Amino acid sequence: MPASTPAAKPASASPKPAAAAVNQRWHVLASRPEPNTSKIQELREELRREADLGLTYERWAWYLDDDAVLDRFLVARDDNVQKASRLIRDALAWRLRRRPHVLDYAELDRECATGKLRVAPSLDRFGRPVVIFDNSVQNTKDAGGQL
């Protein structure tokens, strides 16, 4: 009888990475390992020269002073400062119309209580919380207060 050889062990699968902790600044995470600081500075100077739309740099400094925000726009436009500047102006015009930075948290709490908004129990693949908006649950009496 031939001597039996031990069965080969299957290669162990690499351990599954732990779920990422929720990063409170997930919307401004860097888009590349090393930001292009010279282009970021050039874009910031270009934005400070802009005087259209009421998009003064001082008004949006809380958003535009973050290098990661500017770098995201540069990445989106292949480091072209003029195109990134135009994209930022469009984004800020949208923010003026839609006002995502001005949230009434008390109103959101009321709407969440009706079942219209809820937070998923898990995170997305980038570790961000997922908010589910169910527009079929339109049960707010005040038409102006409906989301």
Side-chain angles (χ1 to χ4, degrees):
M1 206 162 150
S4 64
T5 58
K9 291 184 180 179
S12 63
S14 60
K16 197 173 191 176
V22 176
N23 185 331
Q24 297 301 318
R25 299 187 66 236
W26 60 265
H27 60 289
V28 291
L29 292 177
S31 302
R32 54 182 155 198
E34 291 295 321
N36 189 339
T37 53
S38 64
K39 289 285 188 176
I40 290 171
Q41 190 58 35
E42 189 178 335
L43 178 57
R44 187 170 282 127
E45 290 168 7
E46 173 76 18
L47 290 169
R48 287 194 173 147
R49 285 192 295 267
E50 298 289 333
D52 62 340
L53 290 175
L55 302 177
T56 61
Y57 191 91
E58 292 75 27
R59 178 178 186 166
W60 296 98
W62 61 272
Y63 185 68
L64 298 174
D65 278 345
D66 194 329
D67 286 354
V69 169
L70 298 181
D71 193 45
R72 259 196 3 246
F73 284 97
L74 284 166
V75 167
R77 293 299 177 254
D78 296 324
D79 286 332
N80 183 313
V81 173
Q82 282 71 36
K83 288 181 180 180
S85 176
R86 191 172 332 126
L87 183 62
I88 289 175
R89 286 194 317 268
D90 292 344
L92 294 179
W94 177 86
R95 284 180 171 275
L96 277 174
R97 284 191 317 275
R98 303 299 296 187
R99 300 171 6 137
H101 55 284
V102 182
L103 292 176
D104 181 0
Y105 291 102
E107 179 185 350
L108 284 176
D109 280 342
R110 285 191 301 276
E111 296 296 325
C112 286
T114 67
K116 201 176 299 178
L117 292 172
R118 62 186 183 278
V119 178
S122 59
L123 303 174
D124 73 357
R125 67 182 176 162
F126 299 109
R128 301 174 297 198
V130 176
V131 177
I132 300 168
F133 177 79
D134 185 0
N135 63 350
S136 69
V137 185
Q138 201 56 267
N139 50 13
T140 305
K141 304 295 183 219
D142 175 26
Q146 292 181 349
L147 295 177

